[in-house]
Amino acid sequence: MSVKITSREMLDELKQANLARLDAFEHRITVCNGTGCRACGGVEVKEALAAAIDQRGLSDRIDVMPTGCQGYCQRGPLVVVEPEGTLYPTISPEDAERIVQAIEQGGLVDELLLEDPITKERVAKRDGIRFYKGQERIAFALNGKIDPTSIGDYIAYDGYQALAKALLEMTPEKIIDEMTRSGLRGRGGAGFPTGRKWAGCRKQEAVPKYVICNGDEGDPGAFMDRSLIEATPHAILEGMLIACHAVGSSEAHVYVRAEYPLAVEHIRKAIDDARELGLIGENVLGTDFSVDVHVMEGAGAFVCGESTALMYSIEGRRGMPRLTPPRSVEHGLWGKPTVLNNVETFANVPAIILRGAEWFAGIGTETSTGTKVFSLTGKVENNGLVEVPMGTTIRQIVFDIGGGIPDGRSFKAVQTGGPSGGCLPESLLDLPVDYESLSEHDATMGSGGIIVLDDTSCMVDVARFFLDFTASESCGKCAPCRLGVPAMLEILTRITEGEGVPEDIEQLRELASVICSTALCGLGQTAPNPVLSTLHYFEDEYRAHIEEGICPAGSCKALVGAYAIDPDACKACGKCATACPTGAASGTLGQPPYTIDLATCVKCGACFEACPFDAVIRTAKGVSA
Amino acid sequence: MSDLLPIELREECAPLAGHPEHLIHVLRRVQETVGFISPDSEAFVSDLLGVTLSRVHGVVTFYHLFYTEPRGRHTVRLCRGTACHVGGAGGIQSALEEHLGIKPGETTEDLAVTLETVACLGACALAPVMVVDEGYHGKLTAAEAVAIVDRTLSGEAEAG
């Protein structure tokens, strides 16, 4: 395909040709090949299905397509049969033969279908599964429908039509106006209005200007950007090209974490393919718009997710934030006007251009429009990626879509916003998730990580965990972050080790307030948030550690005296012994009770997690079992 | 002083001479080729791109993915992200530390294994997760993690 697309007619022809190619099959089996499903054997499943189809001589009737992340990571590898929309979860290569046979005979493999946890009935249709009900997919619209490495698949689903519309029918001002009216706000965390950012860059006279896509997703617990780049790299690219045209830039950069090898591979391929078709290069679609796009791999520094630090990193420097203003739209990459947006923000752009600002603004809430992709993880039944309209409540996300808390445990809190965010307790389950509601309650949207915590999660330890992270990721440029965060961490560590003193709580609050008001960059200023919010909602737990030497959740290792097995509850299933890394838990299968040898026990808690009968008992220090 | 770097790499990097913006890229290529960044390599990069040695060293030590010491033949990278943390990654870390006799960031004496922790691998649905060389292993227990590392090492012994 070395012919360049120089007109909308040619783009349309290519679309029809690709649609015909895709429609030539009676059935298509899509296999999730995102990082998560690959780790569970998704590639092998795809190959087994292809082999089974080949063997039955059905290659001209049934297609197999590897797709990006389909979201339901908990049940990977996912296999979906189209056009029926039948979802088979947790498939292994051995199941391939039966699935292909069933398709050929027009039936289903009942025992491979998902069992509804409540009704216990088998659910065939993806759209009938609780996890997918209540989701609305814009950024994720094509995840699961296209092969991420095929530009033809993307074009078949209206790919690059928004770019054509923007270049051929819209002035830069009109595009910016459309973005402003759509109400789209930055999905990276701060929620700055995208239209206003673009307008700010557009009006700068300095040239050249740059557009940067921030794919340095560093928040622990967030992986929607990785999945978006892996699954629909062209949608992100198209959004970036539209931004280039709108602000008057002819050079764009994608900054991706090096820890995401598949995402790097896919975005590079997308850029090469788009270049070959002339969608990147000189005189795109026969207009005077010319553009080039580069990929920069990060080198492992969380702080590079901060926009000014990221730009220094592209320049080949240490990624250390600088004071703002001047803002990046005035003084960005190489000191030139620069628009920097998050991956998910760009992924929304083509849909807004094609379907209009009013359509987008009609979804979500008044001040937080559209949808948001959340990565739902932690102590929740259905881990995965969830895209819902803004304003959906935490309860809907955690319980309706997420399926609630596993193992009969109880909900304690959700942590949102990563290291800049906070923990929300059960009393706020009905809080709508939008920018304002979250920040009013000491939490933030962040990039959209939602980590569910149950009664075995210690809130002091969660706060300590985040400060440990921020302390080790601090770039060291400003003293409040470099010295203040470790000082807070020291106190928190002391508390989790049972060495806390009553003054610690006040000291933590004081340090937090200084850091919040004096740190140089957004990451430093928000670093104390995990402590402030857990202190706000869970001060009792801090006090239990300090005053009674007890960790109510039983997770702080130093406060655990010992693990023991309740002989009456033990069923001798052997799961504790299998999970134990040191051989301390042992016994004979079927002959209760098992025992734990305290001399070799490292108190890792694996047996406690593994026991299905709650027979493993954790005792506090100083209390005998 | 750059005799240690293969001629192919020096040729590949030659066109970038005098372009400081390629510093991170060149360092990455050096590391991919020889495994880590030695003082000699830093001096080579400094000469090539026309940037001070202190800036090269500053960049090398700023980013986690640059190493200034030789690495083990295998890398065990344990995720310490939030989902993994609440899923028991702490216990897995203790077990791996105990088993290998090293702390994160260290390499076993026989250069077999380097143990690392990473802030988040972005594979939270698999939590707790670790990556051994290129392979992801998810929903781990401490015992499984130790067994996987042993399998990797014994596979090496058989192959060798």
Side-chain angles (χ1 to χ4, degrees):
Chain A
M1 271 202 285
S2 57
V3 180
K4 303 234 188 269
I5 304 175
T6 53
S7 66
R8 177 173 260 172
E9 290 68 36
M10 287 180 73
L11 183 64
D12 288 341
E13 273 170 33
L14 203 56
K15 176 184 164 180
Q16 294 310 327
N18 277 293
L19 269 180
R21 172 178 61 84
L22 292 172
D23 287 345
F25 296 92
E26 288 165 39
H27 300 276
R28 171 162 296 111
I29 310 179
T30 66
V31 186
C32 181
N33 270 199
T35 294
C37 282
R38 273 178 190 233
C40 321
V43 175
E44 292 75 20
V45 170
K46 183 200 73 184
E47 280 160 7
L49 285 163
I53 291 168
D54 215 33
Q55 209 180 3
R56 295 182 163 264
L58 297 170
S59 304
D60 52 342
R61 288 175 53 201
I62 307 178
D63 184 29
V64 179
M65 179 190 276
T67 72
C69 179
Q70 304 196 8
Y72 200 2
C73 309
Q74 182 80 34
R75 299 304 182 110
L78 297 174
V79 168
V80 177
V81 181
E82 304 285 8
E84 296 86 346
T86 310
L87 184 142
Y88 292 107
T90 329
I91 291 305
S92 63
E94 296 75 53
D95 303 323
E97 186 69 38
R98 282 193 291 165
I99 293 176
V100 173
Q101 190 181 358
I103 297 172
E104 191 184 12
Q105 296 166 353
L108 298 165
V109 190
D110 280 329
E111 62 270 30
L112 291 180
L113 295 172
L114 188 81
E115 186 187 277
D116 187 289
I118 296 168
T119 64
K120 303 290 174 200
E121 280 171 18
R122 299 277 178 180
V123 187
K125 302 272 185 208
R126 176 186 46 207
D127 299 337
I129 292 171
R130 285 170 203 274
F131 179 78
Y132 286 103
K133 281 184 191 169
Q135 293 205 42
E136 179 160 351
R137 298 191 153 199
I138 299 173
F140 255 26
L142 294 180
N143 283 36
K145 293 211 174 101
I146 61 170
D147 175 349
T149 60
S150 163
I151 191 170
D153 285 7
Y154 183 64
I155 288 174
Y157 282 95
D158 285 337
Y160 292 104
Q161 294 287 342
L163 177 68
K165 183 175 173 185
L167 289 179
L168 301 169
E169 296 170 23
M170 298 169 84
T171 61
E173 289 75 16
K174 174 84 179 80
I175 295 171
I176 291 172
D177 178 56
E178 199 75 17
M179 297 312 297
T180 307
R181 284 188 299 111
S182 77
L184 177 66
R185 295 168 66 173
R187 298 298 194 238
F192 192 83
T194 306
R196 206 191 316 160
K197 188 181 269 186
W198 291 14
C201 186
R202 170 89 205 157
K203 71 174 189 219
Q204 300 298 320
E205 280 167 16
V207 283
K209 296 176 183 177
Y210 300 101
V211 167
I212 298 175
C213 173
N214 185 351
D216 192 47
E217 178 176 64
D219 284 10
F223 54 102
M224 67 288 295
D225 292 348
R226 170 179 66 73
S227 294
L228 278 169
I229 304 175
E230 282 176 12
T232 55
H234 284 286
I236 293 145
L237 200 52
E238 188 177 4
M240 293 176 68
L241 299 178
I242 292 167
C244 284
H245 174 54
V247 305
S249 161
S250 57
E251 187 177 324
H253 294 263
V254 187
Y255 191 99
V256 194
R257 276 183 91 193
E259 289 90 337
Y260 291 174
L262 191 64
V264 171
E265 186 189 318
H266 284 186
I267 191 76
R268 282 194 196 279
K269 170 112 181 27
I271 291 170
D272 289 345
D273 291 350
R275 191 176 282 130
E276 201 169 309
L277 287 181
L279 295 166
I280 293 174
E282 303 288 319
N283 303 107
V284 176
L285 292 171
T287 66
D288 59 2
F289 173 67
S290 300
V291 70
D292 203 5
V293 184
H294 307 279
V295 175
M296 163 93 186
E297 277 181 65
F302 170 71
V303 66
C304 286
E306 199 275 347
S307 60
T308 60
L310 186 150
M311 290 175 206
Y312 284 131
S313 184
I314 293 180
E315 293 174 10
R317 295 170 185 278
R318 288 165 73 99
M320 296 163 85
R322 63 165 172 81
L323 271 177
T324 53
R327 296 200 163 271
S328 304
V329 292
E330 297 160 34
H331 189 94
L333 186 60
W334 306 111
K336 300 294 182 187
T338 304
V339 156
L340 178 139
N341 282 129
N342 165 268
V343 169
E344 192 184 335
T345 313
F346 281 124
N348 277 297
V349 171
I352 293 173
I353 294 296
L354 274 187
R355 302 175 71 172
E358 285 68 29
W359 162 77
F360 192 81
I363 301 165
T365 69
E366 199 170 326
T367 52
S368 301
T369 58
T371 58
K372 177 78 191 85
V373 183
F374 294 100
S375 54
L376 185 61
T377 61
K379 304 292 178 100
V380 61
E381 198 67 59
N382 299 328
N383 277 264
L385 288 175
V386 172
E387 183 172 359
V388 287
M390 292 273 193
T392 304
T393 66
I394 296 171
R395 187 187 299 279
Q396 287 170 306
I397 295 173
V398 173
F399 288 90
D400 297 349
I401 295 172
I405 317 298
D407 304 329
R409 298 262 161 212
S410 58
F411 175 90
K412 186 184 232 176
V414 287
Q415 203 282 342
T416 71
S420 302
C423 291
L424 299 170
E426 195 175 3
S427 58
L428 292 173
L429 268 176
D430 291 308
L431 191 74
V433 179
D434 59 59
Y435 293 101
E436 282 73 22
S437 303
L438 284 177
S439 55
E440 270 168 32
H441 291 89
D442 291 339
T444 56
M445 182 83 77
S447 52
I450 293 186
I451 295 128
V452 183
L453 307 171
D454 68 9
D455 55 354
T456 64
S457 314
C458 167
M459 304 313 285
V460 186
D461 181 58
V462 167
R464 192 200 58 79
F465 165 79
F466 279 112
L467 262 75
D468 186 29
F469 174 80
T470 325
S472 71
E473 293 293 336
S474 171
C475 79
K477 188 169 178 177
C478 75
C481 175
R482 184 181 67 238
L483 304 172
V485 174
M488 290 181 75
L489 175 62
E490 198 186 309
I491 297 175
L492 290 167
T493 307
R494 223 157 16 85
I495 297 176
T496 56
E497 288 173 351
E499 309 286 329
V501 291
E503 301 81 73
D504 281 342
I505 290 181
E506 208 32 55
Q507 184 97 59
L508 281 173
R509 288 208 167 98
E510 207 174 305
L511 278 163
S513 114
V514 173
I515 297 168
C516 290
S517 55
T518 56
L520 187 148
C521 78
L523 297 177
Q525 288 157 14
T526 55
N529 283 2
V531 180
L532 289 174
S533 82
T534 47
L535 265 179
H536 185 122
Y537 297 111
F538 299 95
E539 192 173 327
D540 290 359
E541 274 194 45
Y542 280 81
R543 296 207 174 277
H545 284 76
I546 296 170
E547 291 161 14
E548 299 162 48
I550 290 174
C551 172
S555 94
C556 288
K557 209 166 148 182
L559 295 177
V560 172
Y563 285 91
I565 292 174
D566 176 357
D568 298 330
C570 179
K571 304 259 187 278
C573 69
K575 287 201 170 149
C576 54
T578 314
C580 179
T582 64
S586 63
T588 313
L589 267 183
Q591 291 180 28
Y594 271 54
T595 53
I596 295 174
D597 174 24
L598 296 181
T600 45
C601 173
V602 291
K603 293 197 245 176
C604 70
C607 54
F608 185 83
E609 298 271 340
C611 181
F613 309 108
D614 287 339
V616 178
I617 312 160
R618 202 151 42 181
T619 53
K621 218 169 194 169
V623 183
S624 61
Chain B
M1 66 174 69
S2 56
D3 291 347
L4 291 170
L5 293 177
I7 181 91
E8 296 80 15
L9 179 69
R10 279 183 281 153
E11 280 174 1
E12 178 195 320
C13 295
L16 304 177
H19 285 279
E21 70 271 25
H22 295 297
L23 178 53
I24 292 173
H25 172 73
V26 172
L27 287 171
R28 186 192 299 283
R29 291 293 301 127
V30 168
Q31 182 163 293
E32 281 165 4
T33 313
V34 292
F36 72 108
I37 296 167
S38 66
D40 284 348
S41 298
E42 286 188 0
F44 161 75
V45 174
S46 157
D47 284 347
L48 176 81
L49 300 180
V51 297
T52 60
L53 193 54
S54 66
R55 184 173 148 196
V56 176
H57 190 64
V59 166
V60 169
T61 50
F62 183 81
Y63 294 98
H64 299 315
L65 294 185
F66 291 133
Y67 312 113
T68 53
E69 282 174 6
R71 314 253 310 148
R73 292 183 295 281
H74 301 285
T75 302
V76 174
R77 203 169 276 165
L78 178 68
C79 183
R80 292 306 315 267
T82 326
C84 290
H85 181 73
V86 299
I92 296 174
Q93 186 177 328
S94 320
L96 287 173
E97 284 176 5
E98 180 133 325
H99 188 68
L100 294 169
I102 49 173
K103 296 275 175 198
E106 295 177 355
T107 302
T108 52
E109 232 166 70
D110 58 357
L111 291 185
V113 185
T114 299
L115 178 64
E116 279 182 357
T117 55
V118 50
C120 183
L121 288 163
C124 314
L126 301 173
V129 59
M130 76 174 178
V131 175
V132 179
D133 301 326
E134 304 290 307
Y136 284 76
H137 303 275
K139 300 177 185 171
L140 288 172
T141 63
E144 281 162 8
V146 167
I148 289 165
V149 171
D150 279 347
R151 272 208 301 279
T152 307
L153 291 176
S154 64
E156 183 188 40
E158 279 163 27

